[in-house]
Amino acid sequence: MLALSRRRAGFVRLALVALSAWSCCGSSCISFGAAPVAATMKTDASKPALSQAIDRLISAGGPGLQAAQADDAEFLRRVYLDLAGRTPTVVEARTFLTDKAGDKRTALVDRLLASPEFPTRMTEAFNAMLMERRGEHDEWRKFLTTSFQKNAPWDAIVREIIDPRDNDENLRGAAFFAVNRLSKVGQQETDYPGLTRDVGRLFLGMDLQCAQCHNHLFVESYKQVDFQGLYTVFLNTSIRDEKFPALNENLMAKKIDFMSVFDKQPLQTGPRVPGLKEISIPTFKAGEEYLVAPDKKKKVLGIPKFSPLEELAKAVTSPENRSFRENIANRLWWLVMGRGIVDPLDLFHAENKPSHPEVLALLSTEMQTRKFEMRSILRDLVLSDTYARGSRWTATEIKRPAPETYVTAVAKPLSAEQMYNSYLTATGPHDPKTATPDLRKRFITAFANPPKEPEVEFAPSVKGALFLSNDSNVLELLVPKSGNLVDRLGKISEPDALADELYLAVFTRTPTADERAEVRRLLGMKKIEKTKLLGHLVWALTSSTEFCLNH
């Protein structure tokens, strides 16, 4: 097996160095072999106004010295990962790198945004963000995929999630967000508090967990009534037994009672979104409460005229709700820039100030102006000079600025899906039968965070390293098959040309002089069969820190 051969073959210094680096933690341990070309992009007169405004605000807040713009190779890999969810193929890389057009970056961004890979990438990113690895469901995935394919605005997506309806089979999977969280596990109580907390965190940027029992001890603006106002809506729901995810909503006729564990004063609230007015509960004459009356014989609950879920969905997603606008603006920024303007993402409050309040306000206003249309916002973000800055800091006389200054690119961990897609792209092309859904599932098991943990930081693990070292299907990708990377490398006799093909396939860049020399040295070893040696080389590079980060 490859792992055993590696131990026998002391030549794979490259692999060991790469594995060691990959096992480090934190961006401070990152070591990239490439020396990005310090090419400065000329001002693009056609650059979107939002991009230019962002650049002015970021530059105004920086220390006065910024990293050079990323070279074409670095930009190419970054934007492919962010918009297509994978690294580019060798053909795609060579086509872009040899293109002399002045507007090729803009053209590339537009091409990726229009490709079918973009909605898939958004589906994978928002599935990980919203479900936090709690489980998969085909209906939920169809809901997300359909939404991103038709470029549905964020407020519409969230309204469907909070108030799921089953009259459209493309949208009914939205209920999985709540149904998954309300599904009972063993003897545990139904987790209404957990669903309440997640709605606050993921759609409003507020982690209200501590406010369940009392006003937050350290965050003055997080009140117990904030939590209870959301909680009363979800406490009014139950899972409906259907073949697809579905919720029941019970009749709500009165407010919920609650009290702080500290002062024991009885309090009440109806449905309420933090920061907004309480939603009034209407009264109806007896027998007139329902649009569709309950049917006890068929054990069917009725449909109430007053739907707290519907009212909550409208209030949360209102264009006037600043928390909703700022939360999604911050999350889109985090998705492509690698760090939230407010960080952590779910702790918006007065004591956790945004790094660039003017940028956050600008994006929040744009979200409202563009009616929560996310694709055009992402386009403007990735066409900004801020996004296109290099990740390397070369000024030895000045300490590398903090990530929140955004004067250098922030290295982002590849999601498990990006790892899988990029691994197949780098080592392929492969027969689709080889790349089985089961392999994708194992990649996610190996590289995704445990359930209920936000995936916002680089978290290498022994599990992931062992997976790449020993999984039989992964190692099979490193065996020469017609047209795959190892097969192509085996047909290249000139060492430098081989090194170029290898590094372009894996890292989307050409190797440095030292890396070419190392490849030549390894190829000169006579004690190991060439195809095995090439498999070792590909394994070493695809197991490295550089490969599993978007930088």
Side-chain angles (χ1 to χ4, degrees):
M1 296 300 291
L2 187 62
L4 180 61
S5 300
R6 188 175 67 252
R7 287 194 294 272
R8 288 202 307 263
F11 78 95
V12 196
R13 184 175 66 194
L14 193 59
L16 296 176
V17 169
L19 180 60
S20 174
W22 188 82
S23 299
C24 289
C25 59
S27 58
S28 61
C29 297
I30 296 168
S31 175
F32 302 126
V37 177
T40 301
M41 295 292 293
K42 295 180 179 178
T43 301
D44 184 355
S46 63
K47 189 179 288 293
L50 177 58
S51 303
Q52 294 178 334
I54 289 170
D55 292 335
R56 283 195 297 271
L57 292 170
I58 293 294
S59 298
L65 186 58
Q66 300 171 327
Q69 291 285 290
D71 67 6
D72 279 345
E74 188 176 3
F75 178 84
L76 176 68
R77 184 177 188 271
R78 185 182 303 166
V79 78
Y80 255 89
L81 282 165
D82 285 334
L83 300 184
R86 64 172 174 85
T87 52
T89 66
V90 170
V91 172
E92 290 167 336
R94 287 204 170 106
T95 300
F96 181 79
L97 297 177
T98 57
D99 187 353
K100 303 300 183 186
D103 63 347
K104 66 178 183 178
R105 294 193 180 193
T106 303
L108 171 65
V109 167
D110 287 338
R111 190 162 60 250
L112 291 176
L113 288 172
S115 78
E117 289 181 287
F118 175 71
T120 301
R121 158 64 179 152
M122 289 295 103
T123 296
E124 292 175 339
F126 276 82
N127 177 49
M129 183 190 298
L130 298 178
M131 295 309 300
E132 296 176 335
R133 308 298 181 184
R134 285 175 166 82
E136 298 283 342
H137 197 290
D138 290 343
E139 293 281 358
W140 167 253
R141 189 173 183 85
K142 183 165 71 173
F143 160 69
L144 289 179
T145 302
T146 302
S147 297
F148 287 112
Q149 284 175 338
K150 66 181 183 182
N151 198 27
W154 177 242
D155 60 337
I157 293 174
V158 176
R159 277 196 298 273
E160 295 291 344
I161 291 174
I162 294 178
D163 181 28
R165 305 299 172 99
D166 55 23
N167 55 355
D168 185 336
E169 66 174 24
N170 289 318
L171 302 178
R172 64 191 183 190
F176 182 64
F177 178 88
V179 168
N180 175 276
R181 288 167 166 85
L182 297 181
S183 297
K184 295 195 68 169
V185 179
Q187 299 301 312
Q188 295 180 0
E189 296 292 327
T190 302
D191 194 13
Y192 292 109
L195 175 58
T196 303
R197 179 194 181 195
D198 286 349
V199 168
R201 285 195 310 117
L202 297 169
F203 302 134
L204 300 172
M206 303 177 186
D207 189 345
L208 301 170
Q209 183 180 28
C210 289
Q212 179 180 356
C213 304
H214 49 75
N215 290 341
H216 200 291
L217 296 178
F218 308 110
V219 180
E220 186 177 353
S221 57
Y222 289 3
K223 306 295 187 185
Q224 190 179 10
V225 71
D226 292 332
F227 181 94
Q228 296 292 334
L230 292 174
Y231 178 65
T232 187
V233 176
F234 299 114
L235 193 60
N236 196 50
T237 64
S238 58
I239 297 174
R240 194 167 84 234
D241 186 17
E242 298 280 2
K243 294 180 179 178
F244 49 86
L247 282 180
N248 278 324
E249 189 170 25
N250 301 316
L251 198 65
M252 179 180 283
K254 63 179 183 179
K255 299 181 179 183
I256 189 175
D257 297 317
F258 68 98
M259 66 173 58
S260 168
V261 295
F262 295 129
D263 55 28
K264 307 294 185 183
Q265 293 296 316
L267 299 168
Q268 281 190 332
T269 186
R272 182 177 178 277
V273 175
L276 302 183
K277 293 181 179 178
E278 183 179 319
I279 298 169
S280 298
I281 301 175
T283 56
F284 298 96
K285 294 181 180 178
E288 296 182 359
E289 303 94 338
Y290 291 94
L291 287 173
V292 178
D295 189 332
K296 292 183 179 179
K297 291 183 179 179
K298 295 181 180 179
K299 298 182 179 179
V300 175
L301 295 177
I303 300 178
K305 288 181 179 177
F306 173 61
S307 168
L309 281 178
E310 182 180 3
E311 296 301 323
L312 180 69
K314 287 191 294 188
V316 166
T317 62
S318 166
E320 286 70 42
N321 186 358
R322 177 179 164 184
S323 297
F324 181 69
R325 298 197 315 266
E326 290 187 341
N327 174 66
I328 187 58
N330 195 46
R331 287 177 181 272
L332 292 183
W333 178 273
W334 165 82
L335 194 64
V336 296
M337 299 296 183
R339 182 186 173 87
I341 300 172
V342 172
D343 188 82
L345 300 179
D346 54 10
L347 283 179
F348 274 76
H349 57 79
E351 290 75 26
N352 187 34
K353 298 185 183 302
S355 61
H356 295 78
E358 300 89 353
V359 175
L360 183 62
L362 174 66
L363 293 175
S364 173
T365 300
E366 284 294 321
M367 292 303 307
Q368 185 175 20
T369 303
R370 302 188 192 190
K371 301 184 186 302
F372 296 100
E373 195 275 306
M374 296 186 286
R375 190 180 314 205
S376 69
I377 296 284
L378 286 171
R379 179 182 187 273
D380 289 357
L381 291 181
V382 300
L383 287 176
S384 68
D385 289 344
T386 302
Y387 175 83
R389 296 222 168 273
S391 58
R392 170 161 288 193
W393 186 253
T394 57
T396 56
E397 71 279 9
I398 299 177
K399 185 180 178 182
R400 184 185 180 96
E404 59 267 26
T405 62
Y406 303 104
V407 297
T408 63
V410 178
K412 299 170 285 190
L414 263 60
S415 68
E417 290 84 357
Q418 287 173 317
M419 277 288 291
Y420 170 74
N421 297 335
S422 299
Y423 206 96
L424 291 189
T425 301
T427 60
H430 299 290
D431 185 336
K433 295 178 182 177
T434 304
T436 62
D438 185 55
L439 180 57
R440 179 182 183 276
K441 184 178 180 181
R442 292 207 300 282
F443 256 88
I444 292 174
T445 301
F447 292 105
N449 276 10
K452 304 181 183 180
E453 287 190 13
E455 293 186 354
V456 294
E457 295 181 348
F458 184 41
S461 67
V462 173
K463 181 174 64 175
L466 291 175
F467 170 76
L468 289 182
S469 300
N470 298 295
D471 185 273
S472 60
N473 285 138
V474 170
L475 299 183
E476 186 69 20
L477 299 176
L478 308 179
V479 174
K481 300 282 179 61
S482 180
N484 76 359
L485 177 58
V486 176
D487 178 59
R488 298 199 309 273
L489 294 175
K491 295 175 181 176
I492 300 174
S493 57
E494 204 284 314
D496 284 357
L498 187 152
D500 285 352
E501 179 80 8
L502 171 64
Y503 275 73
L504 201 57
V506 178
F507 293 147
T508 320
R509 65 172 174 84
T510 53
T512 64
D514 287 346
E515 288 165 340
R516 283 200 179 96
E518 183 67 5
V519 171
R520 284 197 297 272
R521 186 186 72 81
L522 295 173
L523 291 174
M525 300 188 70
K526 304 298 183 184
K527 294 183 178 180
I528 185 168
E529 184 183 339
K530 183 178 180 182
T531 54
K532 288 185 178 180
L533 184 150
L534 293 175
H536 292 324
L537 276 175
V538 175
W539 176 88
L541 298 192
T542 52
S543 300
S544 68
T545 303
E546 181 172 351
F547 182 75
C548 64
L549 285 174
N550 186 3
H551 45 82

